[in-house]
């Protein structure tokens, strides 16, 4: 059996910065409310015409550069997004064309905030079995165009944002890399955080009535999501640790999905890990769904927070509900 390690990681945030004060000009909210409830001060939004496959390009270029690889070296694209450029085909196919990858497999996965960790899990299997040597895992999102940016949608709209992260998983026989991944789902909560339309159940898929009812906007029952998140995050982190007879004291760095700073603080308390061992960029970046973990990971690396030999845990929770973790030896 081979082992997979992260040979490269990169990220990209679109240029346009939207502050809490900017949002309070278009809906009934305030910088104080958003910052106190979520820890967010600003987020990035795309410009018209930019899709997740576009955001993925600079993120992937940075990851390839760090790995010292070219597009020709990549054997498979796994593209995690809950906001694909188009209903069909997938954003992975678009990225294959835009970056000139060979005619390799391109797989979109839609597991929302857990997408990047699910993607690592799939890539890990391809590498462990020897089916692939280098796999690209992208998490890229354009949430801004799916938000109801009026007072009606304010509880959901203020947290979500745009961005992309990308990692290259490469085969190695050294003692580093992905130790294990764990993935879960619980679809009975599907409607607590979802985009109802356009849907194949509706005929026609899109109508004035659907638009008037706002069914095409991302909807979140924030309290229910929060309640489940604070339960599942500690569980999935402990599952990752238990698999390697580790305890929370063995974690050098925890990179959680950036949903809300209050959730991250709750995790820290629950599993007894100091906040300085937890990466958080939510104040600047907001909640970028599948892109959130690779962006935080890439930034932490650039800032010199990641060092050889560290035990790193990634943990995610989101719509589905889905949740997932990865244990990594750097
Ligand atoms: O990434 C996927 C996973 N997502 C998450 O993990 C998010 C989990 N949920 C959350 O982070 C929080 O539930 C939110 C940040 C979304 C909301 O915070 P909350 O403390 O749960 O607020 P709430 O929805 O219970 O609303 C409290 C009050 C309400 O007013 P009343 O009914 O008490 O008078 C809301 O109408 O705050 C009001 N409110 C706002 N006020 C100003 C809701 N949103 C806003 C807003 N600005 N943006």
């Amino acid at each position: 059996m081979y082992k997979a390690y992260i040979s490269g990681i990169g990220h990209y945030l679109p240029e346009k910065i939207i502050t809490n004060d900017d949002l309070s000009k278009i809906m009934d909210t305030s910088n104080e409310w958003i910052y106190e409830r979520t820890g967010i001060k600003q987020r990035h939004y795309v410009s018209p015409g930019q899709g997740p496959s576009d955001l993925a390009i600079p993120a992937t270029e940075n990851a390839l550069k760090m790995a010292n690889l070219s597009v020709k070296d990549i054997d498979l694209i796994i593209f995690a997004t809950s906001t694909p450029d188009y209903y069909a085909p997938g954003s992975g196919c678009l990225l294959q064309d835009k970056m000139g990858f060979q005619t390799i497999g391109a797989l979109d996965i839609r597991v929302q905030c857990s997408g990047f960790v699910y993607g690592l899990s799939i890539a890990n299997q391809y590498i462990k079995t020897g089916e692939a040597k280098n796999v690209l895992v992208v998490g890229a999102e354009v949430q801004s165009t799916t938000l109801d940016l009026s007072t009606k949608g304010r509880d959901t709209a203020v947290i979500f944002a745009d961005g992309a992260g990308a990692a290259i998983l490469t085969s190695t026989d050294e003692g580093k890399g992905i130790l294990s991944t764990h993935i879960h789902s619980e679809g009975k909560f599907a409607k607590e955080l979802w985009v109802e339309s356009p849907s194949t159940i509706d005929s026609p898929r899109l109508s004035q009535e659907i638009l008037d009812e706002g069914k095409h906007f991302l909807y979140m029952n924030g309290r229910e999501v929060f309640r489940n998140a604070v339960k599942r995050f500690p569980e999935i982190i402990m599952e990752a640790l238990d698999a390697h007879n580790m305890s929370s004291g063995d974690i050098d760095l925890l990179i959680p999905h950036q949903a809300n700073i209050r959730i991250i603080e709750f995790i820290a308390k629950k599993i007894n890990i100091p906040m300085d061992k937890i990466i958080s960029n939510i104040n600047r970046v907001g909640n970028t769904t599948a892109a959130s973990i690779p962006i935080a990971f890439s930034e932490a690396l650039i800032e010199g927070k990641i060092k050889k030999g560290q035990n790193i845990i990634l943990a995610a929770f989101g719509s589905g509900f889905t949740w997932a973790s990865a244990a990594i030896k750097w």
Side-chain angles (χ1 to χ4, degrees):
M1 284 284 249
Y2 302 86
K3 203 163 182 190
Y5 82 107
I6 295 178
S7 58
I9 189 153
H11 73 281
Y12 175 72
L13 293 166
E15 276 171 29
K16 201 194 301 173
I17 293 176
I18 305 292
T19 64
N20 292 346
D21 285 337
D22 292 331
L23 290 181
S24 61
K25 284 177 197 142
I26 52 173
M27 63 176 79
D28 182 12
T29 190
S30 65
N31 177 47
E32 291 69 32
W33 192 95
I34 301 171
Y35 185 63
E36 274 168 27
R37 301 280 179 136
T38 69
I40 300 169
K41 287 183 174 168
Q42 63 171 56
R43 73 284 291 139
H44 294 246
Y45 282 3
V46 290
S47 302
Q50 271 185 310
S53 64
D54 300 307
L55 304 187
I57 295 170
T60 302
E61 284 170 348
N62 290 336
L64 284 168
K65 202 167 156 198
M66 177 180 158
N68 204 14
L69 294 172
S70 81
V71 288
K72 289 195 177 59
D73 298 311
I74 302 299
D75 303 314
L76 173 68
I77 299 167
I78 299 172
F79 200 116
T81 184
S82 56
T83 53
D85 300 61
Y86 303 111
Y87 210 81
S91 296
C93 291
L94 304 183
L95 187 66
Q96 181 276 330
D97 175 51
K98 287 177 182 176
M99 289 194 67
F101 286 99
Q102 302 194 72
T103 54
I104 54 174
L107 177 66
D108 267 35
I109 53 167
R110 292 174 54 202
V111 217
Q112 299 64 251
C113 303
S114 308
F116 180 75
V117 184
Y118 263 68
L120 286 187
S121 166
I122 298 167
N124 192 30
Q125 307 311 316
Y126 268 90
I127 288 175
K128 283 205 300 195
T129 55
E131 283 281 315
K133 267 202 171 110
N134 297 300
V135 179
L136 170 66
V137 182
V138 173
E141 301 280 0
V142 173
Q143 289 289 2
S144 56
T145 54
T146 199
L147 301 175
D148 178 356
L149 290 168
S150 73
T151 299
K152 193 168 162 230
R154 64 181 181 176
D155 52 339
T156 305
V158 297
I159 76 168
F160 288 96
D162 305 340
I168 316 278
L169 261 70
T170 295
S171 171
T172 180
D173 50 14
E174 293 174 29
K176 61 181 177 182
I178 310 259
L179 303 176
S180 63
T181 56
H182 299 273
I183 59 175
H184 294 276
S185 68
E186 194 171 22
K188 74 175 180 188
F189 292 109
K191 296 182 179 178
E192 306 299 347
L193 180 45
W194 73 329
V195 184
E196 187 176 355
S197 292
S199 147
T200 52
I201 295 166
D202 290 322
S203 183
R205 290 185 187 178
L206 204 51
S207 64
Q208 193 55 50
E209 194 188 335
I210 287 170
L211 295 174
D212 291 344
E213 286 176 28
K215 287 180 173 178
H216 58 302
F217 290 128
L218 178 67
Y219 164 80
M220 177 172 71
N221 176 353
R223 286 186 195 185
E224 188 64 17
V225 176
F226 196 102
R227 202 176 60 77
N228 280 270
V230 294
K231 177 171 168 230
R232 297 305 188 186
F233 268 113
E235 263 178 34
I236 195 76
I237 294 166
M238 291 318 293
E239 191 174 358
L241 294 172
D242 288 347
H244 306 285
N245 292 320
M246 293 199 280
S247 69
S248 58
D250 296 312
I251 301 178
D252 294 306
L253 219 51
L254 172 66
I255 308 178
H257 167 54
Q258 309 287 310
N260 184 327
I261 195 66
R262 284 160 52 214
I263 295 176
I264 294 175
E265 286 166 355
F266 185 93
I267 301 169
K269 223 181 235 168
K270 181 85 183 171
I271 64 166
N272 193 22
I273 167 169
M275 282 298 281
D276 63 6
K277 286 191 174 178
I278 305 181
I279 299 296
S280 180
N281 61 5
I282 192 163
N283 60 333
R284 285 180 293 103
V285 176
N287 179 345
T288 56
T289 322
S292 143
I293 288 178
I295 293 171
F297 203 142
S298 170
E299 285 189 350
L301 197 67
I302 291 166
E303 290 162 12
K305 291 179 182 161
I306 298 180
K307 297 186 180 75
K308 199 168 177 235
Q310 279 181 334
N311 292 320
I312 301 172
I313 302 287
L314 312 182
F317 175 86
S319 158
F321 291 148
T322 57
W323 58 105
S325 66
I328 297 168
K329 172 73 82 181
W330 192 256

